[in-house]
Every structure is written in structure tokens, then in C-alpha cells.
Amino acid sequence: MCVACRQMKEKKELIKVTKPKEGPIQIDETGKLPGRGAYVCKNPDCVKKAKKARGFERAFKCALPEDLYEKLDEVAKDG
Ligand SMILES: [Zn+2]
């Protein structure tokens, strides 16, 4: 489910962000990192909404690396 629009989507339409047991929260491009995952649509509008609503902060209940939303934006634009 996307943290911005809250719609269920196919995995290929989503970008996964993972909070590993150790280390920083990161974009999980392979979808194989262990840890808790949250998703946003591969869509710059949803990334913007997620940033505004602090969707990932809510999902993980902690702060995100400063540049994470920028990186998500780039991934979303790449399609
Ligand atoms: Zn969405």
C-alpha cells in the first residue's frame, strides 16, 4: 500500500523503502532487504504527498535521512 494515496498497487508500481534492523532507512530497489518495509507509488505526485504528510516517518515511527524523499523523487521520475 502506498503511504501517500493509500491504494493497494502491484509491487512493480511501487517503490519500497526499508528500515533494516541496523543502519539507515533506505530505498530498497531489489525488494530483498530484511526489515520493515513501506511503499510509495512510482509517481512524483505521490512522493510529494508522502513528503508533505510525512508518510514514511509515520510508517516507521522515526526520522528519515534528509535526502530520502529527493532520492524517491528521482526514482519516481525515472519510472
Ligand atoms: Zn500513491
Side-chain angles (χ1 to χ4, degrees), residues 16-71:
K16 187 181 180 201
V17 177
T18 295
K19 182 187 180 188
K21 282 193 178 153
E22 290 178 36
I25 291 171
Q26 56 193 284
I27 297 173
D28 182 0
E29 297 200 58
T30 63
K32 286 175 183 163
L33 284 177
R36 187 167 147 61
Y39 299 84
V40 67
C41 297
K42 219 174 256 184
N43 174 336
D45 288 338
C46 273
V47 173
K48 247 181 248 168
K49 269 188 222 162
K51 185 177 182 179
K52 223 176 160 186
R54 306 221 150 253
F56 284 109
E57 283 89 335
R58 283 190 201 183
F60 294 124
K61 297 187 171 48
C62 73
L64 258 63
E66 290 260 316
D67 59 351
L68 192 91
Y69 284 111
E70 273 170 49
K71 283 185 192 161

